[in-house]
Amino acid sequence: MFRKVTPGDKALSFHFEGGVCSAEPGDTVALALLVAGIDSCRDSVVSGQPRGPYCLMGACFECLVVIDGVQNLQGCQVQVREGMVVTRQRGGRHALGDTLS
Amino acid sequence: MSASLIEHADRLAARYDVVVVGAGPAGLTAATQVAAEGLSVLVLDENLAPGGQIYRAITLRAQTGRDYLGAAYWDGKRIADAFLASSLTYAPAARVWSLDPASPRDDEPYARIGVSLGGASRHVQARRVILATGALERPTPVPGWALPGVMTAGAAQIALKSAGLVPSGRVVLAGCGPLLYQLAMQLQGAGADIVALLDTGPGMGSAWQHLPQFLFSPYVIKGLSLLMSVRRRLRVVSGVRHLAIEGEAKARQVRFETERGTETLTADLVLLHQGIIPDTALANSAGCALEWNESIRAFQPKVDVQGCSSLAGIFVAGDGARIVGALAAAETGRAVALAVLAQLRAERAEQFEQQRVDVLKRSAWLQRGRRFIDAAYLPTQPFLAPEDSSTLICRCEEVTAGTVREAAKRGACGPNQLKTFTRCGMGPCQGRLCGPTVVELLADEGRISPAQVGTYRLRAPIKPLRLAEIAGLPATSAAIHAVTGVWPLTPKTHPAQIDRELSNDR
Ligand code: FES
């Protein structure tokens, strides 16, 4: 859905829902997903509709994802890192769902 | 000298003379001005680098090869560089989640700020607080606006500024406001395929009375040439009504109506915009009085001539106080800083006051023509208070316009009561995306002014906070006593200190 105007020379890779995506260091998780062509990162809390980043500035909470086992993180506020494991935030936060290691 | 960067809450001092919240144009100039007088200054900002949204990533990426951002963007470089060269403490990626005004009972009044930084939270105290929290885009509640593939114009601008990203498919821009036209030029310059710009604005009709002022505005040449070049290069459709985005799991097309009938455009990305309004969340949660500004149809913090809110010691600068634009916002930041200095360095109050008068003159000059811009780009009523009952209003809790109107008919008399009726505004965004619409809907249903409706009363924490962070806050003596029944044996057990901590714990 988005592409780099001028692709940089550095790349890292991270995981989303089991697949491997590449990103540029310094980009946020939300942007990295958009570049990878993934426009929906969570299912809404009430009706389970697919949702994706909307404001990219921390206001809307539409970019929620699970990052390395921690639920409900705003993808637009977290920088993507090498080897990061990102999964969809399915509905609300699940009790005991965080797998902090 | 240069700003000292901190990344973890452990490195925060307990007290500062001045805490500035926000590092956009107003926050940057305010902090720079206060730090220049040798006061201790802490700047807390959510972004990773200074600049706010308007000058986002200005210090991060190379200037070359990014001409598409336009000359106005690079205005921010000077302000950001001066800030980074100041002797102050700067905490990027910090989330301020509470603000409590100083208690009038304290002999030395300090406001208290809750901040999360690097995964831990702390309270810091400040003799003066300058809120420079900037603006938010007004929500655009239209059918289909929650589909993936629909974003705000501001979001596309952030992607472009912070990561050099441009949309790769067919783009439709829809809404009203100067930012939409500016974005159209930037995206096109960066190589995006823009199918059309759908202008939902009221047209110039209501704005003519403010035209003479506008002709002296510093924006007149820039503004008109921007409008003309967008119209020359892109398809611009005026008088757009009944905008809807359609698609199953993502946006596929945009349907709209004009005088000439209904039209549908295929789109991969739809960018919406209905102007910007002050982000009042922190001021609101602190208890600052808000007032309704009819000319932009939004609430803003009430401030006096010094820029001080209704609460002593809490000042507001920039677009967070009133929408003035980036250049004027930087001047209001300076003006508020000088007002603060006049209080904290009372022996030189007269000199600061003189400087402040000059800064305010510049600020007023930069704001000439604002009324014309406000009137020419005020959203039309159907975009403020949607008529279609199935339109989603609260994206978090999935509450529709129909449900809100129904609750109003059943007697929900204000936004806060509406929460208990419908859960509208109770999701993680805490009403940032539904608040303005809820106010308009309740005003429409009750046939009263939004000023009478009022707005959500926000409470700390204004950003979601993990319980572990709250649990990890350093315990006060009073808290330890409450749990253990024993006063901790530290010098802090002085009764006056305990009293202050108790009042802070309320
Ligand atoms: S996209 Fe809105 S909070 Fe992240």
Side-chain angles (χ1 to χ4, degrees):
Chain A
M1 216 164 67
F2 281 83
R3 63 177 168 83
K4 289 275 174 181
V5 181
T6 331
D9 42 14
K10 290 198 202 85
L12 54 77
S13 57
F14 70 101
H15 304 268
F16 181 73
E17 291 287 308
V20 179
C21 308
S22 83
E24 278 183 26
D27 289 355
T28 63
V29 172
L31 288 175
L33 289 173
L34 291 170
V35 174
I38 297 154
D39 48 26
S40 159
C41 62
R42 72 172 188 115
D43 302 313
S44 71
V45 174
V46 181
S47 66
Q49 298 291 311
R51 294 281 178 85
Y54 178 70
C55 74
L56 293 180
M57 57 178 277
C60 73
F61 292 77
E62 291 289 14
C63 59
L64 296 178
V65 283
V66 183
I67 299 178
D68 292 335
V70 181
Q71 305 175 77
N72 260 0
L73 292 178
Q74 283 169 284
C76 75
Q77 303 289 301
V78 179
Q79 277 186 308
V80 64
R81 282 185 310 273
E82 177 66 44
M84 212 175 219
V85 178
V86 183
T87 53
R88 292 180 80 78
Q89 176 67 43
R90 296 190 162 81
R93 186 158 185 259
H94 306 282
L96 307 178
D98 285 353
T99 52
L100 273 172
S101 51
Chain B
M1 259 179 295
S2 67
S4 86
L5 233 75
I6 59 169
E7 284 166 356
H8 196 273
D10 280 346
R11 297 203 40 217
L12 291 164
R15 287 185 166 181
Y16 295 87
D17 290 322
V18 178
V19 171
V20 178
V21 183
L28 293 177
T29 53
T32 306
Q33 186 89 40
V34 177
E37 298 301 330
L39 294 172
S40 64
V41 179
L42 169 69
V43 178
L44 300 167
D45 186 52
E46 278 187 3
N47 283 352
L48 301 169
Q53 305 306 342
I54 188 84
Y55 301 135
R56 189 157 174 140
I58 190 107
T59 58
L60 290 187
R61 310 236 167 193
Q63 198 160 342
T64 49
R66 298 210 298 157
D67 295 341
Y68 49 77
L69 289 177
Y73 174 69
W74 298 108
D75 286 345
K77 188 82 168 72
R78 213 168 18 89
I79 298 174
D81 287 345
F83 165 79
L84 289 175
S86 301
S87 117
L88 45 76
T89 306
Y90 167 42
R95 306 171 122 215
V96 174
W97 49 264
S98 76
L99 168 60
D100 296 298
S103 154
R105 291 183 298 132
D106 295 346
D107 22 292
E108 217 193 327
Y110 278 85
R112 195 174 74 141
I113 295 147
V115 56
S116 167
L117 178 62
S121 275
R122 288 291 179 277
H123 281 118
V124 294
Q125 295 189 317
R127 292 169 73 194
R128 297 292 182 277
V129 178
I130 300 178
L131 300 179
T133 48
L136 283 176
E137 285 179 277
R138 191 195 303 273
T140 304
V142 294
W145 73 307
L147 286 168
V150 181
M151 297 173 89
T152 69
Q157 221 177 22
I158 287 168
L160 189 62
K161 289 173 187 168
S162 67
L165 292 182
V166 63
S168 48
R170 286 154 301 186
V171 187
V172 172
L173 277 66
C176 79
L179 187 122
L180 202 62
Y181 282 83
Q182 188 196 33
L183 176 73
M185 284 308 287
Q186 290 172 327
L187 288 185
Q188 213 216 8
D193 171 15
I194 300 174
V195 182
L197 188 158
L198 309 178
D199 195 323
T200 67
M204 299 290 159
S206 52
W208 287 126
Q209 47 170 323
H210 306 296
L211 184 65
Q213 271 281 317
F214 182 64
L215 292 178
F216 292 99
S217 154
Y219 293 106
V220 71
I221 307 271
K222 255 192 242 170
L224 291 178
S225 72
L226 176 65
L227 281 186
M228 272 160 26
S229 39
V230 172
R231 286 186 178 269
R232 206 167 47 234
R233 289 181 217 188
L234 295 175
R235 179 174 176 221
V236 176
V237 184
S238 304
V240 168
R241 305 178 297 225
H242 299 296
L243 185 70
I245 299 137
E246 298 170 336
E248 277 299 313
K250 65 163 289 170
R252 298 265 174 230
Q253 58 183 32
V254 181
R255 192 166 40 78
F256 62 95
E257 260 177 58
T258 63
E259 276 174 351
R260 292 177 298 284
T262 306
E263 195 181 331
T264 314
L265 297 172
T266 316
D268 300 302
L269 177 66
V270 184
L271 298 173
L272 301 174
H273 183 68
Q274 292 287 333
I276 58 171
I277 55 177
D279 180 356
T280 57
L282 192 56
N284 180 337
S285 75
C288 298
L290 303 178
E291 65 184 5
W292 177 252
N293 178 348
E294 180 62 30
S295 64
I296 58 162
R297 286 192 84 88
F299 281 98
Q300 61 195 24
K302 223 183 213 160
V303 291
D304 64 15
V305 286
Q306 311 280 323
C308 188
S309 74
S310 63
L311 300 172
I314 299 178
F315 291 72
V316 199
D319 277 353
R322 190 193 170 97
I323 302 298
V324 292
L327 296 176
E331 297 302 331
T332 66
R334 284 194 187 97
V336 164
L338 289 161
V340 165
L341 284 168
Q343 294 184 357
L344 296 183
R345 288 268 187 272
E347 68 284 0
R348 287 166 57 206
E350 217 166 291
Q351 175 201 341
F352 293 128
E353 194 48 37
Q354 193 52 48
Q355 278 178 275
R356 201 173 72 87
V357 170
D358 294 340
V359 171
L360 285 178
K361 269 188 214 147
R362 257 199 321 272
S363 166
W365 186 81
L366 288 166
Q367 285 178 53
R368 267 190 297 183
R370 195 77 222 172
R371 294 297 296 267
F372 177 82
I373 297 176
D374 290 346
Y377 292 111
L378 193 68
T380 57
Q381 185 63 16
F383 288 94
L384 293 171
E387 283 145 10
D388 171 67
S389 63
S390 66
T391 302
L392 207 58
I393 299 304
C394 170
R395 299 170 60 119
C396 299
E397 295 292 331
E398 299 174 59
V399 182
T400 62
T403 306
V404 173
R405 287 190 189 273
E406 197 45 49
K409 289 196 179 85
R410 281 190 294 130
C413 51
N416 296 305
Q417 200 185 13
L418 184 78
K419 285 187 187 176
T420 42
F421 274 57
T422 65
R423 289 198 57 80
C424 193
M426 293 185 73
C429 93
Q430 307 212 8
R432 284 174 181 81
L433 272 89
C434 64
T437 314
V438 160
V439 172
E440 295 282 358
L441 285 170
L442 293 182
D444 194 39
E445 282 297 317
R447 308 255 173 279
I448 50 174
S449 147
Q452 286 167 272
V453 173
T455 188
Y456 291 135
R457 172 78 170 90
L458 299 187
R459 296 194 194 283
I462 61 159
K463 297 270 164 144
L465 194 60
R466 262 149 230 285
L467 270 177
E469 272 195 45
I470 301 180
L473 278 168
T476 59
S477 340
I480 293 170
H481 175 255
V483 175
T484 64
V486 190
W487 290 105
L489 290 172
T490 67
K492 281 174 102 188
T493 42
H494 186 276
Q497 176 70 28
I498 293 165
D499 191 43
R500 174 170 307 146
E501 287 178 354
L502 277 174
S503 75
N504 284 345
D505 274 350
R506 93 205 102 120

